[in-house]
Amino acid sequence: MCGRAAQPSSVAAVCDRRFSIVLLALVVSAFSAPTATAGERSVTADKANGTYRDVEGKSEIKILALGHGKLKVQLALVYEYQSGGGPMANLGDASSKATIENDIAVFVPEEAGDCKITMAFLPNGKLKVEQQGEECGFGHNVRADGTFWKISNRKPKFDDA
C-alpha cells in the first residue's frame, strides 16, 4: 500500500508516479474510446433514400426516410427456377415502416408471423439484408437475404401511393 505517513520519500515518489500513470491511462482511454453518437454513424436521408436491386437485378427494395428514426420500406422479391414447362418465378411483396438506429434498420412486414428483416447500410450504396424467420408472407423459397446495390438516389415512388 502506498501511504505517505511511514514511507520514505523514494517510495512515496514511486506511489505518486504509479497513481499518475494509472490516472493518465484512464483519461486517455476515456477520450480515445470509439463512441457511436447519433450524428457519427447515422444514415442520412440522402444515403437511405432510393431504390436498391440485388445482383441479378430482379429483386428490389425501395426506401424513403420519414424522419424521427423511421423509414418507409417496400420489398419486391423474386425467386426464379426452372420447371418442366420452362422458367418460373415465385414472388414476395411487403411494405411497412422500419425503425432505424445508426446504420441498421429493422423491418417487420405487416401481418407477418415470426419475420424480421434487418438492413445494414454499408458504404458505396450497398445494403446488406438478413431475414430472420420464415413467416414473412412471401412465396415458396422467396427470401429477403442478400446484398443490394443502390440504383437510384431519387425518392422512390411506392405502389400504394
Side-chain angles (χ1 to χ4, degrees), residues 57-96:
K58 298 182 181 4
S59 293
E60 185 174 270
I61 300 175
K62 294 179 182 178
I63 299 175
L64 178 65
L66 301 174
H68 306 291
K70 300 285 183 200
L71 302 173
K72 182 174 183 178
V73 178
Q74 184 173 57
L75 306 176
L77 307 172
V78 177
Y79 172 76
E80 288 187 337
Y81 62 96
Q82 289 292 326
S83 73
M88 299 289 289
N90 292 335
L91 306 176
D93 295 311
S95 65
S96 188

